[in-house]
Amino acid sequence: MSAEHLRLGVNIDHVATVRNARGGAYPDPIRAARLAEAAGADGITAHLREDRRHITDADIEGLMAALSVPLNFEMAATDEMQRIALRHKPHAVCIVPEKREERTTEGGLEVAREENRLAHFIAPLREAGCRVSIFIAADKKQIEAAHRIGAQVIELHTGAYCDAHAEGDFQARDRELEALREMSAFAHSLGLEVHAGHGLAYDTVQPVAAFPEVRELNIGHFLIGEAIFLGLEPAVRQMRRLMDEARA
Ligand code: PXP
């Protein structure tokens, strides 16, 4: 297959983390979203967590009003989040597992075990015109279940691949990468659009960006960290350049 344009979704959650460390309004995630957009982001991702530890309801409202690229609204499968998504009708909704005690989204969603509930949960979101994405591990059972419940998109969790790379366990890293490669092709063969993300950085992005079935990468923490050293626009531009290079 020919490699179509690989979209970059910039996750701005951690601009809000820094803001919330002091309260107040600075730094403003919406200003960051606009800069990311100017630097070549194809979309902005924001996760409204149940405990509002970073992004707030007002941020989602502000992003919906300010963005000219699509918003990918990450949320847990709760009634409260469904109501918020149905009020804003963002371009995309990404359903993620959420545990209060975790530092970040640790694993993928257990779709297979909750098929019925999730099928009912996403139906109104689809009817409202949102593209529904399910964040899952590179696991055939979960991909098949995501397909059965009517999701249009899956996002593959790249955390285990990135962790293995960071730990220098290259055998595990290559195993994880191979699973991501195989499962991208499998999901695509079912007609699902394939996205990927979590933990990606300059030194891990290219092998994933090279998978022709992957249409979008969502990247946050590393880019916001790198923005401290380079500025946000150069950091996003460099990620964009690496993605394009891997795709060429
Ligand atoms: N994709 C999903 C579904 C996520 O939950 C996250 C983290 O919020 C990301 C991508 C981005 O991960 P990171 O911030 O590690 O780049």
Side-chain angles (χ1 to χ4, degrees):
M1 69 185 281
S2 69
E4 292 172 85
H5 175 69
L6 176 61
R7 292 194 300 267
L8 169 60
V10 173
N11 181 316
I12 48 142
D13 292 351
H14 296 302
V15 178
T17 303
V18 176
R19 174 194 62 192
N20 297 357
R22 283 289 173 96
Y26 186 84
D28 177 12
I30 294 162
R31 181 176 167 199
R34 286 218 187 89
L35 282 175
E37 215 181 295
D42 302 283
I44 297 296
T45 294
H47 183 179
L48 185 66
R49 294 187 78 106
E50 187 198 7
D51 61 9
R52 311 301 198 265
R53 70 174 70 159
H54 38 55
I55 293 292
T56 64
D57 300 67
D59 292 329
I60 297 296
E61 211 149 292
L63 288 167
M64 284 300 296
L67 291 181
S68 42
V69 293
L71 176 67
N72 176 30
F73 178 59
E74 273 186 33
M75 57 177 242
T78 65
D79 291 345
E80 183 201 18
M81 290 301 152
Q82 189 192 51
R83 273 195 302 278
I84 295 169
L86 289 174
R87 192 163 72 241
H88 292 298
K89 299 186 179 59
H91 166 80
V93 166
C94 181
I95 314 290
V96 302
E98 209 176 282
K99 291 190 230 108
R100 248 175 199 269
E101 64 278 13
E102 71 190 355
R103 263 190 290 180
T104 181
T105 313
E106 277 165 5
L109 198 67
E110 254 299 331
V111 200
R113 225 183 283 150
E114 280 204 278
E115 225 174 293
N116 231 343
R117 183 178 90 81
L118 287 170
H120 284 101
F121 184 84
I122 68 171
L125 297 167
R126 280 198 58 162
E127 276 157 31
C130 303
R131 281 183 75 68
V132 175
S133 169
I134 311 280
F135 189 46
I136 49 180
D139 175 343
K140 204 167 191 174
K141 200 171 73 189
Q142 302 300 339
I143 294 170
E144 287 168 336
H147 182 241
R148 279 195 299 272
I149 67 170
Q152 297 115 308
V153 182
I154 56 149
E155 179 163 333
L156 293 175
H157 199 311
T158 52
Y161 154 69
C162 294
D163 287 348
H165 178 82
E167 286 156 16
D169 186 346
F170 299 133
Q171 268 186 350
R173 177 198 62 188
D174 293 348
R175 230 180 9 253
E176 294 295 340
L177 193 62
E178 185 54 20
L180 289 165
R181 194 187 64 73
E182 279 178 21
M183 290 304 109
S184 299
F186 175 66
H188 182 264
S189 75
L190 296 179
L192 289 160
E193 183 171 312
V194 183
H195 300 177
H198 207 283
L200 291 170
Y202 294 153
D203 58 354
T204 46
V205 73
Q206 289 198 311
V208 181
F211 301 154
E213 297 87 1
V214 174
R215 295 296 314 277
E216 178 173 310
L217 298 179
N218 285 300
I219 308 178
H221 182 263
F222 175 81
L223 285 174
I224 304 308
E226 202 58 11
I228 293 170
F229 306 108
L230 297 182
L232 186 58
E233 288 194 68
V236 171
R237 283 213 175 87
Q238 171 68 354
M239 189 60 83
R240 178 78 262 169
R241 195 185 63 69
L242 291 169
M243 286 165 57
D244 291 342
E245 193 181 282
R247 204 71 168 181

Short mmCIF file of all heavy atoms in Angstrom, two decimals, residues 110-122 141-150:
data_model
loop_
_atom_site.label_atom_id
_atom_site.label_comp_id
_atom_site.label_asym_id
_atom_site.label_seq_id
_atom_site.Cartn_x
_atom_site.Cartn_y
_atom_site.Cartn_z
N GLU A 110 -9.60 -2.58 27.92
CA GLU A 110 -10.04 -3.98 27.86
C GLU A 110 -11.38 -4.02 27.11
O GLU A 110 -12.44 -4.06 27.72
CB GLU A 110 -10.24 -4.50 29.29
CG GLU A 110 -9.17 -5.44 29.76
CD GLU A 110 -9.06 -6.71 28.92
OE1 GLU A 110 -10.07 -7.15 28.34
OE2 GLU A 110 -7.95 -7.24 28.83
N VAL A 111 -11.32 -3.98 25.81
CA VAL A 111 -12.56 -3.92 25.02
C VAL A 111 -13.27 -5.26 25.05
O VAL A 111 -14.49 -5.34 25.18
CB VAL A 111 -12.29 -3.57 23.54
CG1 VAL A 111 -13.53 -3.04 22.87
CG2 VAL A 111 -11.17 -2.56 23.41
N ALA A 112 -12.48 -6.34 24.92
CA ALA A 112 -13.08 -7.67 24.76
C ALA A 112 -13.95 -8.01 25.96
O ALA A 112 -15.00 -8.64 25.82
CB ALA A 112 -11.98 -8.70 24.56
N ARG A 113 -13.54 -7.57 27.15
CA ARG A 113 -14.28 -7.93 28.36
C ARG A 113 -15.53 -7.06 28.55
O ARG A 113 -16.39 -7.38 29.35
CB ARG A 113 -13.36 -7.77 29.58
CG ARG A 113 -13.46 -8.95 30.53
CD ARG A 113 -12.62 -8.76 31.76
NE ARG A 113 -11.20 -8.99 31.51
CZ ARG A 113 -10.22 -8.37 32.19
NH1 ARG A 113 -10.48 -7.47 33.10
NH2 ARG A 113 -8.96 -8.66 31.92
N GLU A 114 -15.59 -5.96 27.84
CA GLU A 114 -16.68 -5.00 28.07
C GLU A 114 -17.40 -4.64 26.78
O GLU A 114 -17.88 -3.52 26.61
CB GLU A 114 -16.08 -3.70 28.63
CG GLU A 114 -15.78 -3.75 30.09
CD GLU A 114 -15.76 -2.33 30.64
OE1 GLU A 114 -14.72 -1.68 30.48
OE2 GLU A 114 -16.78 -1.88 31.17
N GLU A 115 -17.45 -5.62 25.90
CA GLU A 115 -17.92 -5.34 24.55
C GLU A 115 -19.31 -4.70 24.49
O GLU A 115 -19.52 -3.70 23.80
CB GLU A 115 -17.90 -6.65 23.77
CG GLU A 115 -17.32 -6.47 22.41
CD GLU A 115 -17.15 -7.77 21.68
OE1 GLU A 115 -16.31 -8.59 22.11
OE2 GLU A 115 -17.85 -7.95 20.68
N ASN A 116 -20.22 -5.31 25.25
CA ASN A 116 -21.60 -4.85 25.19
C ASN A 116 -21.76 -3.42 25.67
O ASN A 116 -22.37 -2.57 25.03
CB ASN A 116 -22.45 -5.77 26.08
CG ASN A 116 -23.64 -6.25 25.32
OD1 ASN A 116 -23.99 -5.67 24.28
ND2 ASN A 116 -24.27 -7.29 25.82
N ARG A 117 -21.16 -3.18 26.85
CA ARG A 117 -21.26 -1.84 27.43
C ARG A 117 -20.63 -0.80 26.50
O ARG A 117 -21.21 0.26 26.26
CB ARG A 117 -20.55 -1.80 28.79
CG ARG A 117 -20.68 -0.46 29.49
CD ARG A 117 -20.01 -0.46 30.85
NE ARG A 117 -18.62 -0.06 30.82
CZ ARG A 117 -18.18 1.19 30.77
NH1 ARG A 117 -19.02 2.19 30.72
NH2 ARG A 117 -16.88 1.46 30.76
N LEU A 118 -19.46 -1.13 25.95
CA LEU A 118 -18.77 -0.15 25.10
C LEU A 118 -19.50 0.08 23.79
O LEU A 118 -19.53 1.20 23.28
CB LEU A 118 -17.32 -0.60 24.85
CG LEU A 118 -16.40 -0.44 26.06
CD1 LEU A 118 -15.06 -1.14 25.83
CD2 LEU A 118 -16.16 1.04 26.38
N ALA A 119 -20.11 -0.96 23.26
CA ALA A 119 -20.88 -0.80 22.01
C ALA A 119 -22.00 0.22 22.24
O ALA A 119 -22.21 1.13 21.43
CB ALA A 119 -21.45 -2.14 21.57
N HIS A 120 -22.70 0.10 23.39
CA HIS A 120 -23.77 1.05 23.70
C HIS A 120 -23.21 2.43 24.01
O HIS A 120 -23.82 3.45 23.71
CB HIS A 120 -24.61 0.55 24.88
CG HIS A 120 -25.55 -0.55 24.47
ND1 HIS A 120 -25.28 -1.88 24.70
CD2 HIS A 120 -26.71 -0.49 23.80
CE1 HIS A 120 -26.27 -2.60 24.18
NE2 HIS A 120 -27.15 -1.80 23.63
N PHE A 121 -22.04 2.45 24.62
CA PHE A 121 -21.43 3.72 25.01
C PHE A 121 -21.02 4.56 23.81
O PHE A 121 -21.23 5.77 23.79
CB PHE A 121 -20.21 3.44 25.90
CG PHE A 121 -19.59 4.69 26.43
CD1 PHE A 121 -20.10 5.29 27.58
CD2 PHE A 121 -18.51 5.28 25.79
CE1 PHE A 121 -19.54 6.46 28.07
CE2 PHE A 121 -17.96 6.46 26.27
CZ PHE A 121 -18.47 7.04 27.41
N ILE A 122 -20.46 3.90 22.80
CA ILE A 122 -19.94 4.70 21.67
C ILE A 122 -21.01 5.02 20.62
O ILE A 122 -20.82 5.95 19.83
CB ILE A 122 -18.71 4.05 20.99
CG1 ILE A 122 -19.07 2.77 20.25
CG2 ILE A 122 -17.58 3.83 21.98
CD1 ILE A 122 -17.92 2.24 19.39
N LYS A 141 -7.08 -9.84 19.92
CA LYS A 141 -8.39 -9.99 20.56
C LYS A 141 -9.05 -8.63 20.80
O LYS A 141 -10.23 -8.44 20.59
CB LYS A 141 -8.17 -10.71 21.91
CG LYS A 141 -9.38 -11.38 22.47
CD LYS A 141 -9.01 -12.23 23.67
CE LYS A 141 -8.69 -11.30 24.82
NZ LYS A 141 -8.12 -11.79 26.02
N GLN A 142 -8.25 -7.69 21.22
CA GLN A 142 -8.78 -6.34 21.50
C GLN A 142 -9.15 -5.62 20.20
O GLN A 142 -10.13 -4.89 20.12
CB GLN A 142 -7.76 -5.50 22.28
CG GLN A 142 -7.31 -6.09 23.60
CD GLN A 142 -8.44 -6.31 24.58
OE1 GLN A 142 -9.51 -5.69 24.49
NE2 GLN A 142 -8.24 -7.21 25.55
N ILE A 143 -8.34 -5.83 19.17
CA ILE A 143 -8.62 -5.18 17.88
C ILE A 143 -9.91 -5.73 17.29
O ILE A 143 -10.77 -4.96 16.81
CB ILE A 143 -7.43 -5.40 16.90
CG1 ILE A 143 -6.19 -4.67 17.43
CG2 ILE A 143 -7.78 -4.92 15.50
CD1 ILE A 143 -4.90 -5.00 16.70
N GLU A 144 -10.08 -7.04 17.36
CA GLU A 144 -11.32 -7.64 16.84
C GLU A 144 -12.53 -7.12 17.60
O GLU A 144 -13.57 -6.82 17.01
CB GLU A 144 -11.24 -9.17 16.93
CG GLU A 144 -10.30 -9.75 15.90
CD GLU A 144 -9.97 -11.23 16.13
OE1 GLU A 144 -10.07 -11.71 17.28
OE2 GLU A 144 -9.57 -11.88 15.16
N ALA A 145 -12.37 -6.99 18.91
CA ALA A 145 -13.49 -6.50 19.73
C ALA A 145 -13.79 -5.03 19.39
O ALA A 145 -14.96 -4.64 19.28
CB ALA A 145 -13.17 -6.66 21.22
N ALA A 146 -12.75 -4.23 19.19
CA ALA A 146 -12.95 -2.81 18.84
C ALA A 146 -13.71 -2.71 17.51
O ALA A 146 -14.59 -1.87 17.33
CB ALA A 146 -11.60 -2.09 18.74
N HIS A 147 -13.38 -3.59 16.60
CA HIS A 147 -14.05 -3.63 15.30
C HIS A 147 -15.52 -4.01 15.49
O HIS A 147 -16.42 -3.38 14.92
CB HIS A 147 -13.32 -4.63 14.40
CG HIS A 147 -13.89 -4.73 13.03
ND1 HIS A 147 -14.40 -5.90 12.53
CD2 HIS A 147 -14.05 -3.80 12.06
CE1 HIS A 147 -14.84 -5.69 11.31
NE2 HIS A 147 -14.64 -4.42 11.00
N ARG A 148 -15.76 -5.02 16.30
CA ARG A 148 -17.14 -5.50 16.50
C ARG A 148 -18.04 -4.44 17.15
O ARG A 148 -19.22 -4.36 16.85
CB ARG A 148 -17.16 -6.77 17.37
CG ARG A 148 -16.85 -8.04 16.61
CD ARG A 148 -17.25 -9.26 17.42
NE ARG A 148 -16.53 -9.35 18.68
CZ ARG A 148 -15.35 -9.95 18.85
NH1 ARG A 148 -14.76 -10.55 17.84
NH2 ARG A 148 -14.76 -9.98 20.03
N ILE A 149 -17.47 -3.64 18.05
CA ILE A 149 -18.33 -2.65 18.73
C ILE A 149 -18.62 -1.44 17.85
O ILE A 149 -19.40 -0.57 18.23
CB ILE A 149 -17.77 -2.20 20.10
CG1 ILE A 149 -16.47 -1.40 19.93
CG2 ILE A 149 -17.60 -3.38 21.05
CD1 ILE A 149 -16.00 -0.73 21.22
N GLY A 150 -17.95 -1.34 16.70
CA GLY A 150 -18.29 -0.25 15.76
C GLY A 150 -17.36 0.94 15.83
O GLY A 150 -17.69 2.01 15.32
#
